[in-house]
């Protein structure tokens, strides 16, 4: 069985197409079908790796080291689809490939054009996933809004595939907005126009997911059905939920998955949604509450640390605790009169996430020192681990100028630095240590206890490493090297001695966390914060 489902968006951006696509994937998986996910991004960047988090949110990293759009993170949280370079298609990749072929003479004198050469390349990439072994249903999310110039070739490729596969083998799901104007009146016109726009391209949607604040009444859905030629059963009210993990259940209740299977002439199977129901139940009715202070530099933009927020929530679900996130701009901690006791008073744990560039670094060092001295649970991710090492070298080893060469090149104590062989690399795209690799954890460490395993695999995205020249000094001063690469050549994790729970990891555990199975470090960190919160309230 090889079925395609295209998910597009109309009216405006940020409607949650990614969540819609992921939720359909989750439902199909809950019925025992093998699902594959593809994200199409109509921008010219070859990948998301060179984009600022301010521009495009988090860069999600796959096992094979692709730097992709954050929607792939949602696919990873909602489905068990293996994610790699193949699951992320950008305009940049498509054109690069076609132009390289042209330069190599592969088109033999022909004129190279958007149709058919670009569209053929897009189709080839989609089919490479859809025709991979054992795949039942491939869900292809086309980024941007229908009507944008940029997405035209992708929509044309989708139209052709629907035509070639036949309507029973390739479906279109369109996500639109149904707003309420002042007075609360619900407006269907934007959706009517959005569907018309898709029809003009030659795609008749099979189903519509109508985004709105509150559930839409049947009358509204019937009206939209009659104006858009979409069967009533395929017009779904995708209203706002308390948690994104409730969205699959909302679609299930309205039988969207059963409708899509019927359209594809596929016999339905029993849906097992117990795990999703449990996730939603735990998010809505936690037994405890913790507050996590996240000290970073891209705090204004929620999407910049998307997977970190989600993974903290998963840690909460695993511990039956509600996680409240307090975003602390590290720059604010740097002011000479910053009231640290006030800022951290209600905080049960501190997390310093990944990041690039010098701004805000000193504030992170201040947060790490506060956590170390006050014995507050501390979790450092990538940059957050490097900060732990810098702080320790400065305060415990007494190297006041200890730094990372990413920020200060001239320090007499470069405790975090590039490897020799990296020093002359000038290119930016794809020149980091990227993707999944193995680490070996040391006995009697928080990381070993968290995973319960000596060998673990997590994903990396960084350039700098703990400097091996100072590793022995750091260890002599008490810093625990809690994990290394299997050959021992690189530090993968460190911990503070004599502290209840402090763990810094060079990799990004947030990328492998799922609501139904929290990453072990997030689970352990939140468990520790729950304990810290209990201790704190016992003291009061
Ligand atoms: N900027 C640091 C490095 O490149 C940390 C990267 C990160 O936190 N992802 O090593």
């Amino acid at each position: 069985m090889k079925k395609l489902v295209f998910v597009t968006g109309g009216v405006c951006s940020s409607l949650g197409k990614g969540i819609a696509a992921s939720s359909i994937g989750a439902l199909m998986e809950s019925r025992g079908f093998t699902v594959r996910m593809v994200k199409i991004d109509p921008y010219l960047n070859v990948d998301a790796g060179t984009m600022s988090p301010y521009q495009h949110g988090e860069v999600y990293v796959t096992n094979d080291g692709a730097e992709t759009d954050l929607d792939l993170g949602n696919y990873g949280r909602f489905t068990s689809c293996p994610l790699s370079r193949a699951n992320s298609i950008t305009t940049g990749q498509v054109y690069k490939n076609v132009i390289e072929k042209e330069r190599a003479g592969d088109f033999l004198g022909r004129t190279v054009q958007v149709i058919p050469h670009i569209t053929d390349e897009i189709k080839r990439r989609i089919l490479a996933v859809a025709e991979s072994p054992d795949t039942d249903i491939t869900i292809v999310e086309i980024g941007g809004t229908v009507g944008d110039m940029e997405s035209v070739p992708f929509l044309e490729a989708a139209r052709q595939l629907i035509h070639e596969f036949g309507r029973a083998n390739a479906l279109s799901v369109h996500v639109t907005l149904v707003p309420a104007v002042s007075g609360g009146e619900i407006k269907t016109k934007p959706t009517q126009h959005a569907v018309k726009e898709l029809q003009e391209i030659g795609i008749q949607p099979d189903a519509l997911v109508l985004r709105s604040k509150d559930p839409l009444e049947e009358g509204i859905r019937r009206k939209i059905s009659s104006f858009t030629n979409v069967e009533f059963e395929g017009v779904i009210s995708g209203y706002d939920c308390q948690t994104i993990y409730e969205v699959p259940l909302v679609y299930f209740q309205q039988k969207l998955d059963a409708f899509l299977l019927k359209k594809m002439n596929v016999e339905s199977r029993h849906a097992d949604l117990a795990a999703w129901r449990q996730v939603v139940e735990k998010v809505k009715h936690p037994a405890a509450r913790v507050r996590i202070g996240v000290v970073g530099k891209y705090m204004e933009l929620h999407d910049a640390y998307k997977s970190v927020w989600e993974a903290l929530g998963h840690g909460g679900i695993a511990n039956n605790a509600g996680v409240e996130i307090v975003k602390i701009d590290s720059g604010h901690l740097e002011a000479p009169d910053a009231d640290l006791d006030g800022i951290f008073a209600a905080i049960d744990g501190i997390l310093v996430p990944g990041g690039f560039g010098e701004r805000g670094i000193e504030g992170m060092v201040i947060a790490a020192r506060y956590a170390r001295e006050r014995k507050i649970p501390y979790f450092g991710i990538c940059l957050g681990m490097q900060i732990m090492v810098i702080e320790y070298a400065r305060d415990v080893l007494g190297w006041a100028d200890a730094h990372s060469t990413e920020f200060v090149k001239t320090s007499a104590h470069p405790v975090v630095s590039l490897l020799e062989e990296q020093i002359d690399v000038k290119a930016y795209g794809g020149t980091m240590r990227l993707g999944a690799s193995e680490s070996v954890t040391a006995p009697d460490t928080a990381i070993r206890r968290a995973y319960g395993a000596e060998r673990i695999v997590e994903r990396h995205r960084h350039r700098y490493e703990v400097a091996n020249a100072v590793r022995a000094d750091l260890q002599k001063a008490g810093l625990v090297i809690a994990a290394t690469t299997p050959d021992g050549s690189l530090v993968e994790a460190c911990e503070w001695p004599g502290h209840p729970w402090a763990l810094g990891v060079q990799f990004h555990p947030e990328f492998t966390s799922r609501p139904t199975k929290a990453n072990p470090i997030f689970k352990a960190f939140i468990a520790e914060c729950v304990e810290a919160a209990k201790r704190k309230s016992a003291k009061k």
Side-chain angles (χ1 to χ4, degrees):
M1 176 174 143
K2 298 259 173 292
K3 305 284 184 183
L4 288 171
V5 177
F6 291 98
V7 177
T8 50
V11 181
C12 61
S13 60
S14 302
L15 290 179
K17 277 194 305 293
I19 301 294
S22 304
S23 298
I24 294 171
L27 287 177
M28 295 304 179
E29 235 179 41
S30 80
R31 290 183 186 269
F33 296 104
T34 306
V35 170
R36 294 288 176 267
M37 308 288 301
V38 175
K39 174 72 196 283
I40 289 177
D41 280 299
Y43 47 68
L44 277 162
N45 303 59
V46 170
D47 63 35
T50 55
M51 275 192 257
S52 157
Y54 286 118
Q55 288 273 318
H56 206 70
E58 165 188 282
V59 175
Y60 183 79
V61 180
T62 58
N63 274 338
D64 65 342
E67 299 177 273
T68 70
D69 183 80
L70 51 77
D71 269 319
L72 269 82
N74 285 321
Y75 304 163
R77 289 183 277 274
F78 280 76
T79 74
S80 50
C81 165
L83 296 167
S84 74
R85 216 164 280 287
N87 303 80
S88 169
I89 305 176
T90 67
T91 301
Q93 282 167 28
V94 170
Y95 273 81
K96 186 165 178 272
N97 190 285
V98 171
I99 291 169
E100 276 168 5
K101 273 196 203 152
E102 187 274 330
R103 290 290 82 183
D106 288 4
F107 295 105
L108 286 174
R110 270 170 292 160
T111 311
V112 182
Q113 292 175 302
V114 173
I115 301 172
H117 300 101
I118 294 295
T119 45
D120 279 353
E121 175 63 15
I122 295 167
K123 284 158 65 182
R124 188 185 68 76
R125 285 176 180 247
I126 292 172
L127 292 178
V129 176
E131 290 176 346
S132 60
D134 303 322
T135 302
D136 294 323
I137 300 168
T138 300
I139 298 165
V140 183
E141 177 192 349
I142 303 182
T145 308
V146 173
D148 293 349
M149 263 165 81
E150 287 87 348
S151 46
V152 171
F154 294 106
L155 293 165
E156 169 59 15
R159 186 197 65 76
Q160 291 180 19
L161 283 172
I162 294 170
H163 177 69
E164 288 161 22
F165 269 56
R167 292 286 300 273
N169 296 313
L171 301 185
S172 153
V173 177
H174 200 40
V175 182
T176 71
L177 178 71
V178 178
V181 287
S182 62
E185 201 186 332
I186 305 291
K187 290 293 171 193
T188 63
K189 191 75 61 148
T191 292
Q192 294 179 38
H193 283 296
V195 174
K196 217 169 258 166
E197 209 147 3
L198 191 61
Q199 288 166 335
E200 268 168 29
I201 296 169
I203 299 176
Q204 166 61 43
D206 296 281
L208 298 176
V209 172
L210 308 174
R211 294 282 294 111
S212 61
K213 189 166 160 289
D214 298 311
L216 294 173
E217 284 169 14
E218 189 185 319
I220 299 283
R221 289 166 55 209
R222 287 217 180 270
K223 181 174 170 191
I224 289 176
S225 164
S226 74
F227 278 118
T228 57
N229 283 338
V230 176
E231 284 169 56
F232 174 65
E233 291 74 38
V235 181
I236 303 299
S237 171
Y239 53 87
D240 290 350
C241 296
Q242 187 182 330
T243 158
I244 52 171
Y245 302 124
E246 200 175 351
V247 176
L249 299 179
V250 167
Y251 293 177
F252 178 74
Q253 206 190 7
Q254 297 177 61
K255 304 192 175 69
L256 172 62
D257 52 332
F259 174 79
L260 295 177
L261 289 169
K262 190 182 82 188
K263 282 267 173 200
M264 295 190 282
N265 294 330
V266 175
E267 202 175 320
S268 193
R269 299 178 189 167
H270 170 72
D272 182 2
L273 288 164
W276 286 104
R277 289 192 206 287
Q278 207 180 9
V279 163
V280 172
E281 174 60 27
K282 292 236 171 104
V283 173
K284 288 191 170 175
H285 307 289
R289 284 200 179 275
V290 286
R291 282 198 172 165
I292 308 300
V294 179
V295 182
K297 61 179 259 195
Y298 314 108
M299 284 302 159
E300 313 87 284
L301 187 76
H302 186 75
D303 274 355
Y305 295 118
K306 181 96 182 92
S307 293
V308 173
W309 310 138
E310 294 304 320
L312 282 170
H314 305 161
I317 293 167
N319 286 286
N320 212 357
V323 176
E324 188 188 328
I325 291 162
V326 182
K327 297 179 184 173
I328 302 169
D329 190 323
S330 55
H332 294 164
L333 303 178
E334 292 170 2
D337 57 349
D339 171 18
L340 298 183
D341 289 334
I343 293 172
F344 290 117
I347 299 286
D348 306 307
I350 294 176
L351 188 156
V352 177
F356 294 82
E358 198 190 345
R359 189 171 59 79
I361 294 297
E362 292 308 318
M364 295 175 204
V365 172
I366 289 168
R369 179 158 308 158
Y370 195 87
R372 187 169 59 81
E373 290 178 348
R374 308 296 169 104
K375 303 213 183 305
I376 300 169
Y378 176 94
F379 180 11
I381 298 178
C382 208
L383 177 64
M385 178 190 109
Q386 298 172 356
I387 293 289
M388 236 175 133
V389 172
I390 294 168
E391 190 281 326
Y392 203 81
R394 288 185 188 176
D395 203 51
V396 181
L397 277 167
W399 297 344
D401 66 342
H403 228 308
S404 162
T405 56
E406 177 179 2
F407 314 121
V408 174
K409 300 253 180 304
T410 53
S411 161
H413 296 99
V415 294
V416 176
S417 62
L418 290 177
L419 299 178
E420 282 298 318
E421 61 266 28
Q422 290 174 304
I423 289 174
D424 291 327
V425 177
K426 291 281 183 295
Y428 267 99
T431 53
M432 282 185 270
R433 188 167 158 219
L434 283 166
S437 61
E438 200 176 38
S439 307
V440 177
T441 61
D444 293 322
T445 55
I447 191 168
R448 169 69 69 86
R449 281 189 291 279
Y451 285 89
E454 187 187 357
R455 286 180 177 250
I456 61 170
V457 175
E458 293 287 357
R459 299 177 203 165
H460 295 72
R461 180 174 187 255
H462 63 107
R463 270 195 194 87
Y464 294 80
E465 306 282 352
V466 173
N468 280 325
V470 299
R471 205 202 284 191
D473 291 306
L474 290 166
Q475 277 178 296
K476 224 180 286 161
L479 191 76
V480 180
I481 305 301
T484 63
T485 46
D487 64 358
S489 68
L490 301 174
V491 174
E492 292 278 29
C494 57
E495 299 179 12
W496 290 323
H499 188 285
W501 200 94
L503 171 59
V505 290
Q506 191 59 81
F507 47 79
H508 288 271
E510 68 272 27
F511 292 144
T512 55
S513 193
R514 298 190 59 186
T516 46
K517 194 172 189 301
N519 172 280
I521 304 184
F522 281 89
K523 185 175 168 185
F525 175 56
I526 298 296
E528 207 50 47
C529 295
V530 170
E531 289 309 313
K534 274 192 210 152
R535 283 197 297 273
K536 212 191 267 173
S537 63
K539 246 197 242 164
K540 270 185 199 156

